[in-house]
Amino acid sequence: MSFSRRRKGTDSSKSQNLRCNIVKEDEKNNLYESPRKESYNSKKWSCWDSCCWFIGFVCSVWWFLLLLYNTMPASIPQYVTEAITGPLTDPPGVKLRKEGLTVNHPVVFVPGIVTGGLELWEGHQCAEGLFRKRLWGGSFGELYKRPLCWAQHMSLDNETGLDPPGIRVRPVSGLVAADYFAAGYFVWAVLIANLAQIGYEEKTMYMAAYDWRLSFQNTEVRDQTLSRIKSNIELMVATNGGKKVVVIPHSMGVLYFLHFMKWVEAPPPMGGGGGSEWCAKHIKAVMNIGGPFLGVPKSVSGLFSVEARDIAIARTFAPGFLDKDVFGLQTFQHLMRMTRTWDSTMSMIPKGGETIWGGLDWSPEGSSFNCGAKTLRNNSINNTDQIPNINLANMKNVNYGRIISFGKDVAEAHSSKIKRVDLLDSMKADMLANLTNCDIWIEYHDIGDHRIKAVADYKVYTAGSILDLLHFVSPKLMARGGAHFSYGIADNLDDPKYQHYKYWSNPLETKLPDAPDMEIYSMYGVGIPTERAYVYKVTTATDCSIPFQIDTSVEGGSEDSCLKGGVFSADGDETVPVLSAGLMAAKGWRGKTRFNPSGIPTYIREYSHAPPANLLEGRGTQSGAHVDIMGNFALIEDIIRVAAGATGKELGGDHVYSDIFKWAERINLQL
Amino acid sequence: MSSLRRRKPINESSDSKHKAEEEDEDHDDVDADGDDDVNGKNKKTPSKIKKKRGEKPPKQPKWSCMDTCCWFIGCICITWWLLLFLYNAMPASFPQYVTEAITGPLPDPPGVKLKKEGLEAKHPVVFVPGIVTGGLELWEGRECAEGLFRKRLWGGTFGEVYKRPLCWVEHMSLDNETGLDPCGIRVRPVSGLVAADYFAPGYFVWAVLIANLARIGYEDKTMYMAAYDWRLSFQNTEVRDQTLSRIKSNIELLVATNGGRKVVVIPHSMGVLYFLHFMKWVEAPAPMGGGGGPDWCSKHIKAVVNIGGPFLGVPKAIAGLFSAEAKDIAVARALAPGFLDNDIFQFQTLQHVMRMSRTWDSTMSMIPRGGNTIWGGLDWSPEEGNSCAKKREKKNETQIADQAGSENAVCKAKSANYGRIISFGKDVAEAPSSDIERIDFRGAIKGHSAANTTCRDVWTEYHDMGFAGIKAVAEYKTYTADSLVDLLHFVAPKMMARGTAHFSYGVADNLDDPKYKHYKYWSNPLETRLPNAPDMEIYSLYGVGLPTERAYVYKLSPHAECSIPFKIDTSADDEDTCLRDGVYSVDGDETVPVLSAGFMCAKGWRGKTRFNPSGIRTYIREYNHLPPANLLEGRGTLSGAHVDIMGNFALIEDVIRIAAGASGEELGGDQVYSKIFNWSENINLQLDEEIPVHSSS
């Protein structure tokens, strides 16, 4: 009723009569309420005015501040920081320049997965106006504006792993490709800036940008990226007076560069035809940063259910948000469909099987990693309490070898107590895939309920059986992956089959090049809990959803357990476990081994993680996290020294905080 | 309360009484129906009413000036955001619809059109940007440039020019002795396609061409931007950055990764000269050259598609070097005489610009070459009889009709003496040569330096010259292309000393002379031979139909301290002879006269000549300038202007066809609007190889 009345009031002239009657009533009301409202000024401002005023005021203040900010001399933030935290240490570039270091060897950066920018060269209707704009990297503006279009363009063809018809997305080239991932989020920028301090510039630095979605060999097939890198390295050596290059791969770039070193020496159609001495002639050192030499468990959960710890946690906080198809977006399924077309993700599936990653009842890490310093104390107390009960303590050891377990009890039970139904048997089980009409293609819909159950019934998967699992749940994906990557350990490296390119990025199935003067560094952060194994559950299978999820309700009970939110953690840099980053340099390639026939010297440089002391430090200068380590001063200093000519010995050889050498001993690898 | 209601007080006049009444009524109404309505909106109304009605209404709340301001800004902001939101929500094709609704359906961009014809990426393409259009970024700088690491100093927004102009000038300058980096400063060219796709935001250079090439399948791996530091002399780009080696290696890579298909090179503006230099460099033996062997070009290059190439230099370069002004600046000076000359804020803008640009060796690559043979002498020029824009032509005719044939002689005498590239005074520019009294400046003593120490911070060589020297320059009165070089040597000896080590401006008598193996001759088409590559093609693409600077009338400026003593005399105007604001214009693309862009392809290299011993085929493609029909078209798709021509659809189509494999014949051979062939005939240049060479071959 009141509503209609109000409306009438708008055309004031007509309804005056009506109102007269009401005035008195109104006055009563006024008297009634007036005591409460003394405080109000009789403003003539309507809400609209106030809004305008308020916004205007805010804008003015904002502009004023902006003006002040812009006129502020550039050095003020530094003064402020210094006033708070005491004088800052010189950045390594400045420090080393004072020591007299100058440009010596040209450097090559090999960015990792995800960090390199991708831009559109040809697209469908929906991507109009995005020509040569970044789809990946930069502001990701288009992701929000037209998410489906974006996902469509970022996907590859799921048969060939190359461009879908009518779409060409290409890597950005030049240093800008990966200096910043998004605005303000540096990747290589800090390192570049520090190298520039001692005289590096574009002619002595080269960003070997590649399309990180493709399998390594396909980057050559489609873009001739490997040829490009070869040609550019040759050019840099030629224009810098024959000085060899220092290669700095990061993350997946490490595997990519392993592939490159094999490719470049292999004979033409498949390889680059550089001859067997190419690496020895052109490369001084390979300084791997956070290299997942043996894969990362994270990629398994990524492929299996598109979730890493971060997503799993988000899901527990807002259970409905990600699972229900809010707005009908089916975010996860789209993500999964997209990432599954990227062959490169399969390069990081754990390699070496149970030999490296541990079996049902053992793992190289054992219980030796303590999840955080606080738990360290707890642990020791626990141990002293329970000295006699060693057995129990042992039982409580984390079974890192079981990379995927269904249910916490399974994850912790002794292997003899676990009943497993063989996966392969059930593979032959009925193929009654209920073909639901999901417009989102993921292979789970071809599987059917029975197979999903079979997966869960197998209960525990080790690094060896993970592969079977992935083959089982997504045969097409793995068929593509199997053509480009291999995850085993070579028995006999002279077997001619190892000349195929699919083995080139697996350090356990290739020999390093014959380059005794070369040096290989493995540099990575330690001291951050890193995903190592998962506890899964089967979700109530609704149509068109991913049937498996990390069981975030699983907690380790006491603090000494590394199980948190369904994820077992080990030491590492938050993405790559120490085992993967360090084993090759610590054992596989140490001295003259069958993987390293020419005895290329290897060095391990670990950087203990220390979070930034305060907000002003940004992402910290002592970070050990996978990407943030690129701003770690100690790491940058090492790199600059090597680029300026130092050898590993001069750097101080190995520099180790973790138990990598201990763990390496437990691994029984024929060398 | 409905928001409609609420607005009323604003919409109504500010008459408070009136308003008060109305509002009362409104509130009455509302409160009546909202007896139990105790929501916040109504809360304030009763008290208002009470105050207004019962007691004396207190002072109206004050709209102080501040408040009004805030309110106003708020309104603007909200509208702005609303519009912005609408703009962002607008489908991307909307502007196109609007344009089509106004101007009729747009023609397909050439890339789309040719894709429909079935053309596909074939030959890899190499872009060679010109002077000024390539971006430069800072790699190492002084204190004042903190925070600019890897930011563009040149290109992009030029934000730093305004924020710290002196610092900017300091960093953009090169060392004036060596022509290389000054101590502690490293400014380097941006690399990749981004180097010169856009010069400033929204101001395309190569972007349109790149986009159209991408339509038929080109991408990063088949396109290469040969970015170089355009401030350096050509050979120095190799010395400092190894740019030439880089280009060589990249072309080889392009050919290798594209199944042996040769590249199509597309140089623009000064890039044309740079690429001439490159072709000689790459085949020259190692220490000085690239050691690619004598058939490198024929193995790797399909065609060189020169766009707006100043093969023989541009007169504009003279004005730039002589007094740091081109037509644009001269006109600006005429409009606001005080602004540029008086040192407002002590900026000494022009002097700084001059000091900076004089350290750039590359500007000297564009000094007119070939001397009087090409550019004309005191009393003749190849363009004789050129008439300016059509409108003026009409006027000319009526005049002639009025004055009958009797005045014919005067008319003839009045035709512009383009050969006199610099004249002091309009009368001198127009007088027959016999009437001009010239005093040779070459021997003149420069007199003792008039420079006081005050001018120190603004270094131009004029201050070493002294008053006598300046006077001597003016006494010589007219300068042709030959004497111009002497003039520049006289007024800026240090600069020219640097320049002559890297460039040469003559015509070779005997190309077999071993001295021509030196790199300083490589960028002068009149002193080098084209490579031995009979399958290669050379195109000269340029715009015509725009008045282009060709000769200048100068005056001595009142000699204030620390200022440049010569100025274009903007008061000199003559409708008959294309003299406007002290500048004689001829046909061209606004920067490069037709003569410079077309002569080599029209005559110097046509057929087998001594400059083109292997008979590389040459084609001239001219594009008649049409200004954009309306604002929606931006810089136009039919433009012939020096840079805007990069967006000319006809030109892009030609380029794409060549890249997709077409030969010059298939394009239709020459396409000429100007009188370039007539003018070429006027030029008496020896083209046959010397007899002994003939007999030997």
Side-chain angles (χ1 to χ4, degrees):
Chain A
M1 169 230 180
S2 66
F3 184 61
S4 63
R5 187 68 78 69
R6 250 175 243 169
R7 269 199 169 173
K8 250 186 225 161
T10 48
D11 37 1
S12 50
S13 58
K14 280 186 188 173
S15 52
Q16 272 197 349
N17 286 340
L18 245 167
R19 274 192 226 149
C20 289
N21 303 330
I22 306 160
V23 171
K24 280 174 194 168
E25 246 184 23
D26 237 19
E27 269 175 339
K28 270 182 207 164
N29 276 340
N30 291 344
L31 288 170
Y32 221 61
E33 291 175 23
S34 56
R36 261 199 280 159
K37 287 156 192 169
E38 280 305 338
S39 55
Y40 277 100
N41 289 327
S42 60
K43 274 187 187 160
K44 299 243 57 188
W45 289 19
S46 67
C47 175
W48 173 252
D49 289 301
S50 313
C51 270
C52 280
W53 180 86
F54 181 70
I55 289 169
F57 183 72
V58 169
C59 282
S60 309
V61 172
W62 174 248
W63 288 333
F64 182 68
L65 288 177
L66 210 68
L67 184 81
L68 279 184
Y69 176 80
N70 275 322
T71 50
M72 179 179 78
S75 49
I76 279 202
Q78 207 191 328
Y79 284 128
V80 173
T81 320
E82 282 187 8
I84 296 176
T85 61
L88 290 176
T89 48
D90 267 344
V94 177
K95 179 181 147 197
L96 295 174
R97 177 153 74 164
K98 283 179 193 154
E99 283 186 21
L101 268 60
T102 52
V103 200
N104 195 350
H105 297 277
V107 296
V108 175
F109 307 118
V110 188
I113 198 169
V114 170
T115 47
L118 298 174
E119 58 188 14
L120 184 77
W121 278 85
E122 185 182 340
H124 290 306
Q125 197 70 24
C126 69
E128 215 184 294
L130 296 182
F131 176 68
R132 286 185 64 217
K133 297 270 187 309
R134 282 196 185 198
L135 288 187
W136 189 269
S139 63
F140 283 97
E142 297 309 319
L143 174 55
Y144 304 111
K145 276 196 204 162
R146 19 190 159 171
L148 285 183
C149 183
W150 182 83
Q152 185 191 9
H153 283 80
M154 284 298 295
S155 301
L156 294 169
D157 188 286
N158 67 50
E159 297 286 326
T160 61
L162 293 169
D163 288 328
I167 292 178
R168 282 185 292 151
V169 173
R170 295 288 177 267
V172 179
S173 63
L175 290 179
V176 285
D179 55 350
Y180 289 94
F181 174 56
Y185 190 87
F186 71 82
V187 181
W188 293 92
V190 177
L191 182 58
I192 292 172
N194 279 292
L195 281 169
Q197 288 283 355
I198 67 160
Y200 278 90
E201 53 192 66
E202 238 174 47
K203 67 173 175 179
T204 41
M205 291 196 269
Y206 170 61
M207 179 73 74
Y210 56 98
D211 189 336
W212 45 263
R213 301 170 305 159
L214 300 182
S215 75
F216 302 157
Q217 191 67 10
N218 274 345
T219 60
E220 172 67 12
V221 171
R222 197 192 69 181
D223 297 337
Q224 287 83 45
T225 311
L226 296 170
S227 303
R228 207 165 288 270
I229 295 173
K230 174 173 176 255
S231 157
N232 272 291
I233 290 179
E234 285 167 356
L235 174 68
M236 291 220 292
V237 173
T239 55
N240 285 286
K243 284 176 190 144
K244 298 186 211 170
V245 298
V246 170
V247 183
I248 308 171
H250 173 234
S251 186
M252 192 179 79
V254 168
L255 300 177
Y256 190 70
F257 197 73
L258 273 183
H259 186 94
F260 172 81
M261 285 197 291
K262 294 305 287 182
W263 173 87
V264 75
E265 299 199 339
M270 198 188 279
S276 60
E277 283 181 332
W278 196 92
C279 290
K281 274 187 198 155
H282 292 91
I283 302 176
K284 175 191 188 275
V286 183
M287 308 191 75
N288 303 295
I289 303 177
F293 286 102
L294 302 173
V296 281
K298 211 177 193 172
S299 71
V300 171
S301 68
L303 287 170
F304 192 53
S305 62
V306 212
E307 49 191 354
R309 188 167 50 187
D310 333 321
I311 291 178
I313 286 173
R315 182 175 266 159
T316 44
F317 281 131
F321 185 73
L322 285 171
D323 295 331
K324 288 177 189 158
D325 295 345
V326 195
F327 314 121
L329 286 179
Q330 300 176 308
T331 321
F332 263 91
Q333 282 79 350
H334 278 293
L335 256 188
M336 185 152 189
R337 189 172 70 139
M338 183 174 79
T339 53
R340 281 198 168 195
T341 64
W342 296 346
D343 286 350
S344 62
T345 52
M346 283 178 282
S347 72
M348 295 200 287
I349 293 173
K351 294 167 190 180
E354 297 188 9
T355 318
I356 304 289
W357 293 95
L360 281 179
D361 284 319
W362 77 279
S363 69
E365 286 103 330
S367 58
S368 56
F369 175 61
N370 304 297
C371 299
K374 212 171 96 192
T375 40
L376 176 72
R377 234 184 303 125
N378 279 355
N379 240 354
S380 51
I381 296 165
N382 275 358
N383 280 347
T384 44
D385 283 351
Q386 306 173 348
I387 289 172
N389 210 342
I390 294 167
N391 223 3
L392 184 71
N394 260 351
M395 284 293 288
K396 280 231 151 189
N397 271 353
V398 182
N399 290 317
Y400 287 124
R402 304 173 188 178
I403 293 184
I404 287 184
S405 327
F406 278 89
K408 185 191 171 193
D409 43 343
V410 176
E412 290 179 351
H414 194 268
S415 62
S416 54
K417 292 177 191 159
I418 305 173
K419 270 191 222 163
R420 297 159 86 192
V421 180
D422 199 350
L423 199 59
L424 293 174
D425 288 347
S426 50
M427 276 185 80
K428 290 160 203 156
D430 54 332
M431 304 293 271
L432 291 172
N434 49 340
L435 295 166
T436 44
N437 293 327
C438 298
D439 57 338
I440 297 172
W441 178 90
I442 55 173
E443 290 185 66
Y444 280 124
H445 307 130
D446 302 339
I447 295 181
D449 288 341
H450 291 272
R451 291 183 131 199
I452 291 170
K453 194 157 168 290
V455 167
D457 280 346
Y458 192 63
K459 292 200 172 126
V460 182
Y461 297 87
T462 62
S465 47
I466 279 281
L467 284 177
D468 297 331
L469 170 66
L470 288 174
H471 270 292
F472 184 68
V473 297
S474 48
K476 282 187 206 161
L477 172 90
M478 289 306 286
R480 250 173 36 231
H484 287 286
F485 301 105
S486 170
Y487 312 102
I489 300 180
D491 290 327
N492 175 13
L493 281 166
D494 291 324
D495 192 328
K497 78 168 181 179
Y498 288 117
Q499 276 161 22
H500 191 269
Y501 59 77
K502 76 177 188 179
Y503 299 104
W504 288 347
S505 60
N506 181 356
L508 297 172
E509 290 179 307
T510 46
K511 289 176 190 161
L512 285 180
D514 179 23
D517 294 336
M518 206 170 99
E519 289 174 315
I520 293 183
Y521 295 81
S522 197
M523 314 161 88
Y524 51 89
V526 295
I528 308 180
T530 306
E531 294 170 50
R532 177 68 171 78
Y534 300 90
V535 177
Y536 264 87
K537 67 178 177 191
V538 178
T539 56
T540 44
T542 56
D543 283 349
C544 305
S545 79
I546 298 164
F548 306 106
Q549 271 183 13
I550 293 177
D551 188 353
T552 45
S553 64
V554 176
E555 293 290 342
S558 60
E559 279 187 62
D560 61 327
S561 168
C562 293
L563 176 62
K564 256 189 192 156
V567 179
F568 287 100
S569 308
D571 198 2
D573 68 359
E574 206 163 18
T575 299
V576 182
V578 167
L579 191 68
S580 176
L583 182 73
M584 289 317 289
K587 186 171 182 185
W589 289 333
R590 199 38 72 102
K592 274 198 186 185
T593 68
R594 65 186 179 117
F595 302 113
N596 180 9
S598 63
I600 296 171
T602 59
Y603 302 96
I604 293 184
R605 308 282 297 174
E606 292 184 347
Y607 303 91
S608 195
H609 175 74
N614 53 47
L615 274 178
L616 285 169
E617 269 188 31
R619 286 156 68 200
T621 57
Q622 302 183 52
S623 175
H626 191 59
V627 175
D628 293 354
I629 200 173
M630 307 289 286
N632 186 312
F633 278 7
L635 175 129
I636 292 173
E637 190 178 324
D638 284 351
I639 290 176
I640 294 180
R641 281 188 193 282
V642 172
T647 63
K649 291 252 165 54
E650 286 160 20
L651 278 191
D654 293 332
H655 186 260
V656 175
Y657 297 99
S658 72
D659 296 327
I660 178 68
F661 284 111
K662 224 195 279 174
W663 298 344
E665 278 183 19
R666 285 192 207 148
I667 290 172
N668 181 22
L669 182 68
Q670 184 212 330
L671 295 174
Chain B
M1 223 197 280
S2 78
S3 61
L4 263 179
R5 187 68 78 66
R6 242 173 259 154
R7 275 196 211 177
K8 241 185 211 161
I10 315 167
N11 298 338
E12 233 80 61
S13 68
S14 58
D15 180 357
S16 59
K17 211 180 164 188
H18 196 84
K19 237 183 181 176
E21 278 175 20
E22 259 208 51
E23 224 181 53
D24 288 353
E25 283 167 11
D26 290 352
H27 292 311
D28 296 348
D29 175 23
V30 169
D31 285 2
D33 37 66
D35 270 12
D36 45 358
D37 183 0
V38 215
N39 64 29
K41 287 176 194 165
N42 287 342
K43 272 180 191 168
K44 64 174 117 161
T45 51
S47 63
K48 273 188 196 171
I49 291 155
K50 189 183 170 194
K51 278 180 183 162
K52 273 171 222 151
R53 225 179 258 155
E55 291 94 356
K56 260 243 144 112
K59 263 197 280 170
Q60 287 299 313
K62 249 192 215 150
W63 279 79
S64 68
C65 177
M66 189 67 191
D67 290 332
T68 323
C69 274
C70 284
W71 178 85
F72 184 68
I73 290 170
C75 272
I76 290 176
C77 281
I78 289 173
T79 336
W80 174 246
W81 288 334
L82 199 74
L83 288 176
L84 210 69
F85 176 77
L86 282 179
Y87 176 79
N88 276 322
M90 181 179 76
S93 51
F94 191 70
Q96 207 190 326
Y97 284 127
V98 174
T99 319
E100 283 187 7
I102 296 175
T103 61
L106 289 177
D108 269 343
V112 177
K113 180 181 148 198
L114 295 175
K115 192 186 179 179
K116 284 180 193 154
E117 282 187 22
L119 266 62
E120 272 177 15
K122 190 170 175 202
H123 296 277
V125 296
V126 176
F127 307 117
V128 188
I131 197 169
V132 169
T133 48
L136 299 173
E137 57 188 17
L138 185 75
W139 278 85
E140 185 181 342
R142 302 258 159 82
E143 194 75 16
C144 69
E146 215 184 295
L148 295 183
F149 176 67
R150 287 185 62 218
K151 297 271 187 308
R152 283 195 185 199
L153 288 188
W154 189 270
T157 57
F158 284 97
E160 298 308 320
V161 186
Y162 306 111
K163 276 196 202 160
R164 21 191 156 170
L166 284 182
C167 182
W168 183 82
V169 165
E170 186 188 355
H171 283 81
M172 284 298 297
S173 301
L174 294 168
D175 188 284
N176 67 47
E177 297 287 327
T178 61
L180 293 169
D181 288 328
C183 204
I185 291 178
R186 283 185 291 151
V187 173
R188 294 288 178 268
V190 179
S191 67
L193 290 180
V194 285
D197 55 349
Y198 289 93
F199 175 56
Y203 190 87
F204 70 82
V205 181
W206 294 92
V208 178
L209 183 58
I210 291 172
N212 280 293
L213 282 168
R215 290 279 188 183
I216 66 161
Y218 279 91
E219 53 191 67
D220 232 15
K221 69 172 174 181
T222 42
M223 291 194 271
Y224 170 63
M225 179 73 75
Y228 56 98
D229 190 335
W230 46 262
R231 301 170 304 157
L232 299 182
S233 75
F234 303 155
Q235 191 69 9
N236 273 345
T237 61
E238 172 67 13
V239 170
R240 197 192 70 181
D241 297 338
Q242 285 85 46
T243 311
L244 296 171
S245 303
R246 207 164 285 272
I247 295 173
K248 174 175 176 248
S249 157
N250 273 291
I251 290 180
E252 285 167 357
L253 176 67
L254 281 174
V255 173
T257 54
N258 286 286
R261 292 195 190 112
K262 299 185 208 171
V263 297
V264 170
V265 183
I266 309 172
H268 173 234
S269 183
M270 192 180 79
V272 168
L273 301 177
Y274 189 70
F275 197 74
L276 273 184
H277 186 93
F278 173 81
M279 287 198 290
K280 293 305 285 182
W281 173 86
V282 76
E283 299 198 340
M288 199 189 280
D295 54 358
W296 194 94
C297 288
S298 73
K299 271 190 198 154
H300 292 90
I301 302 176
K302 175 193 185 271
V304 183
V305 186
N306 301 296
I307 301 177
F311 286 101
L312 302 175
V314 282
K316 210 177 195 174
I318 299 280
L321 289 170
F322 192 53
S323 61
E325 55 190 350
K327 189 164 58 178
D328 333 321
I329 290 181
V331 170
R333 180 178 270 157
L335 289 179
F339 185 72
L340 284 171
D341 296 331
N342 298 347
D343 295 344
I344 313 173
F345 313 122
Q346 305 283 309
F347 276 167
Q348 300 174 309
T349 320
L350 270 193
Q351 281 81 349
H352 278 293
V353 169
M354 186 155 185
R355 187 174 71 141
M356 181 175 75
S357 60
R358 278 195 172 195
T359 64
W360 297 345
D361 287 349
S362 62
T363 51
M364 284 178 280
S365 72
M366 296 201 288
I367 293 174
R369 297 151 198 267
N372 292 6
T373 319
I374 302 290
W375 294 95
L378 279 180
D379 285 320
W380 77 280
S381 69
E383 291 107 327
E384 235 147 40
N386 175 54
S387 48
C388 294
K390 277 173 189 143
K391 209 171 91 193
R392 231 164 286 151
E393 197 174 43
K394 224 187 290 161
K395 237 185 211 170
N396 252 351
E397 276 165 12
T398 51
Q399 250 178 349
I400 290 165
D402 283 351
Q403 301 168 347
S406 62
E407 303 264 338
N408 238 354
V410 179
C411 273
K412 215 173 191 181
K414 276 214 130 188
S415 81
N417 292 315
Y418 290 122
R420 304 175 189 176
I421 296 185
I422 288 184
S423 324
F424 279 89
K426 188 188 163 196
D427 45 341
V428 175
E430 291 175 352
S433 60
S434 52
D435 297 353
I436 305 172
E437 271 176 51
R438 297 161 85 195
I439 300 167
D440 202 344
F441 64 94
R442 293 177 182 96
I445 314 148
K446 288 183 177 177
H448 87 99
S449 170
N452 342 23
T453 40
T454 50
C455 303
R456 264 294 151 71
D457 56 337
V458 188
W459 179 90
T460 63
E461 290 185 64
Y462 282 124
H463 308 128
D464 301 339
M465 234 171 88
F467 197 68
I470 291 165
K471 195 150 168 282
V473 166
E475 302 269 86
Y476 192 63
K477 292 202 172 122
T478 65
Y479 295 86
T480 61
D482 273 342
S483 46
L484 263 181
V485 178
D486 296 330
L487 170 66
L488 287 173
H489 269 292
F490 184 74
V491 298
K494 281 186 206 162
M495 176 182 82
M496 289 304 287
R498 255 172 31 229
T500 44
H502 288 285
F503 301 106
S504 169
Y505 312 103
V507 181
D509 291 326
N510 175 11
L511 281 166
D512 287 323
D513 193 328
K515 78 169 180 177
Y516 288 119
K517 293 212 167 87
H518 191 268
Y519 61 77
K520 76 175 185 177
Y521 299 104
W522 289 345
S523 60
N524 181 358
L526 298 173
E527 289 180 306
T528 47
R529 292 193 179 113
L530 286 180
N532 180 25
D535 294 336
M536 208 170 98
E537 292 175 319
I538 293 184
Y539 295 82
S540 194
L541 285 60
Y542 53 89
V544 294
L546 283 165
T548 307
E549 296 169 52
R550 176 70 170 80
Y552 301 89
V553 175
Y554 263 87
K555 66 176 179 192
L556 276 179
S557 70
H559 185 59
E561 277 175 28
C562 307
S563 79
I564 299 163
F566 307 107
K567 265 189 201 172
I568 292 176
D569 184 358
T570 45
S571 65
D573 265 301
D574 191 335
E575 296 233 314
D576 298 346
T577 54
C578 307
L579 177 62
R580 280 187 81 188
D581 299 330
V583 178
Y584 286 100
S585 320
V586 332
D587 201 2
D589 68 359
E590 208 162 18
T591 298
V592 182
V594 166
L595 190 69
S596 176
F599 175 73
M600 288 316 289
C601 283
K603 186 168 181 189
W605 288 333
R606 197 43 67 105
K608 271 200 187 185
T609 69
R610 64 185 179 119
F611 301 111
N612 179 9
S614 64
I616 295 171
R617 275 151 299 144
T618 59
Y619 301 96
I620 293 185
R621 307 282 296 174
E622 291 184 348
Y623 303 90
N624 216 345
H625 175 75
L626 281 178
N630 53 46
L631 272 179
L632 285 170
E633 269 188 30
R635 286 155 68 200
T637 57
L638 297 158
S639 175
H642 191 58
V643 175
D644 293 354
I645 200 174
M646 307 289 286
N648 184 312
F649 277 6
L651 177 134
I652 292 174
E653 191 179 323
D654 284 351
V655 170
I656 293 180
R657 283 188 192 280
I658 295 167
S663 69
E665 299 297 330
E666 285 159 20
L667 278 190
D670 292 333
Q671 169 182 294
V672 175
Y673 298 99
S674 72
K675 296 180 192 150
I676 178 67
F677 285 111
N678 293 352
W679 296 344
S680 298
E681 302 243 313
N682 295 343
I683 293 173
N684 180 24
L685 182 70
Q686 182 214 336
L687 291 177
D688 294 326
E689 201 70 72
E690 292 76 22
I691 292 146
V693 180
H694 255 293
S695 60
S696 69
S697 66

